[in-house]
Amino acid sequence: MDKKNALRAGAVAAGSTLMMLLMTSPALALTRDDGDDPGPGLSVGETLGLFVFTPIVLFLVIAGLVMVGDKSRKQAKQG
């Protein structure tokens, strides 16, 4: 990829990102909709558990299952 194409790709990516940021209005999140009934907020521990630790644990479990399946397949081919 030459410099001109890389520069063009960077400009397109930066421009589209900027337009997306300008088009989304965080102020709209403060207005309540009719029939909106939010529940209680999450604590810091609940938030970390839900959005940080749970995905990490799920990733490790899935990766472990893939590695165990791969090892058993390699052993079956050798023996």
Side-chain angles (χ1 to χ4, degrees):
M1 180 182 261
D2 61 349
K3 266 188 173 180
K4 199 180 278 190
N5 284 342
L7 187 61
R8 184 179 299 142
V12 168
S16 61
T17 302
L18 182 62
M19 287 304 293
M20 284 179 16
L21 287 174
L22 291 174
M23 297 301 277
T24 58
S25 177
L28 292 175
L30 297 177
T31 59
R32 303 303 295 260
D33 293 332
D34 289 338
D36 194 11
D37 188 21
L42 297 175
S43 69
V44 174
E46 290 172 331
T47 303
L48 288 175
L50 188 61
F51 295 108
V52 176
F53 300 127
T54 302
I56 290 173
V57 168
L58 284 172
F59 173 79
L60 293 175
V61 167
I62 293 169
L65 290 172
V66 168
M67 288 190 328
V68 166
D70 189 45
K71 285 182 182 178
S72 66
R73 187 177 301 156
K74 284 182 182 177
Q75 289 175 355
K77 286 183 180 180
Q78 289 176 357

